[in-house]
Amino acid sequence: RQSDARCNVDVGLSAAGRQQADLAGGRLAGERVNLVVSSDMIRARETAQILNAHVAAPSREIAALRELDFGEMEGLTDDEIDTRFSEFKTLQARGDRDLHYPGGESASDVLERALAALEALADGGFDTVAIATHCVVIRVLAAHALGAPAHRWRAVARSLENGSITELRYDTHTHTLSLE
């Protein structure tokens, strides 16, 4: 993030974001998508609408797929976070335990709610679901799929870009998640 960027502010897509969503939708156009899902955050809802212009599937919002709750850091710049939460940032950099963001969630919290949402979708009979969600959610799920603890999410998919496609498979028989 740039130093003037704000942590997890619920905003709409930029022009570049709309273009990225359209490109991702184009890549999904040939897939048999049964459902398009988004978190309840504005940028995810807008992304899902753009994706759905390409796949024309039913859609729904699932709040459990929203970005990690950064608590007291939300809306702050990187510089403000570094100043006000330096102790937390030092502990986080170690990467040896799951920390709750001050006034917010931990990676395990995100994993628990996101996995429950994926399980409900799989149990609902949806085979291929396009989900517009957020960086930490994707990285926590990818860490889990690789067998890593949730708090190691920062080591997974480090170059994850907005508008990218991450393919995960949820096995309803074994209740396991894997990367495709």
Side-chain angles (χ1 to χ4, degrees), residues 10 17 29 36 44 50 64-65 72 82 98 116 121 137 143 148 152 162:
D10 193 12
V36 175
I50 294 167
L65 295 171
E72 297 168 28
D82 290 344
D98 195 21
L121 288 168
V137 176
R152 298 292 296 154
N162 292 336

Side-chain angles (χ1 to χ4, degrees), residues 15-169:
R18 287 188 294 280
Q19 182 181 27
Q20 290 166 339
D22 190 52
L23 290 169
R27 287 188 52 209
L28 295 175
E31 302 294 325
R32 287 186 274 174
V33 174
N34 306 109
L35 182 68
V36 175
V37 172
S38 73
S39 85
D40 59 346
M41 297 185 85
I42 297 166
R43 62 191 179 272
R45 292 191 330 247
E46 289 178 356
T47 300
Q49 289 171 344
I50 294 167
L51 293 175
N52 213 1
H54 294 274
V55 299
S59 62
R60 72 171 63 149
E61 289 177 24
I62 299 177
L65 295 171
R66 73 178 3 243
E67 183 61 289
L68 179 138
D69 180 350
F70 292 93
E72 297 168 28
M73 292 181 193
E74 197 159 308
L76 301 179
T77 65
D78 286 348
D79 291 341
E80 290 169 329
I81 290 168
D82 290 344
T83 300
R84 290 178 52 189
F85 299 99
S86 61
E87 185 177 325
F88 174 83
K89 297 298 281 182
T90 299
L91 289 173
Q92 184 183 52
R94 284 194 212 154
D96 60 355
R97 61 182 161 166
D98 195 21
L99 300 170
H100 279 84
Y101 279 74
E105 291 182 296
S106 70
S108 294
D109 295 334
V110 173
L111 179 62
E112 183 178 330
R113 65 178 164 81
L115 274 178
L118 294 182
E119 185 173 330
L121 288 168
D123 289 344
F126 297 103
D127 185 47
T128 302
V129 180
I131 300 174
T133 190
H134 309 275
C135 181
V136 177
V137 176
I138 295 166
R139 290 173 73 184
V140 165
L141 288 169
H144 179 73
L146 292 169
H151 71 272
R152 298 292 296 154
W153 68 268
R154 291 177 167 281
V156 176
R158 295 181 73 154
S159 62
L160 186 72
E161 296 292 330
N162 292 336
S164 64
I165 295 173
T166 303
E167 198 170 337
L168 299 168
R169 177 174 302 278

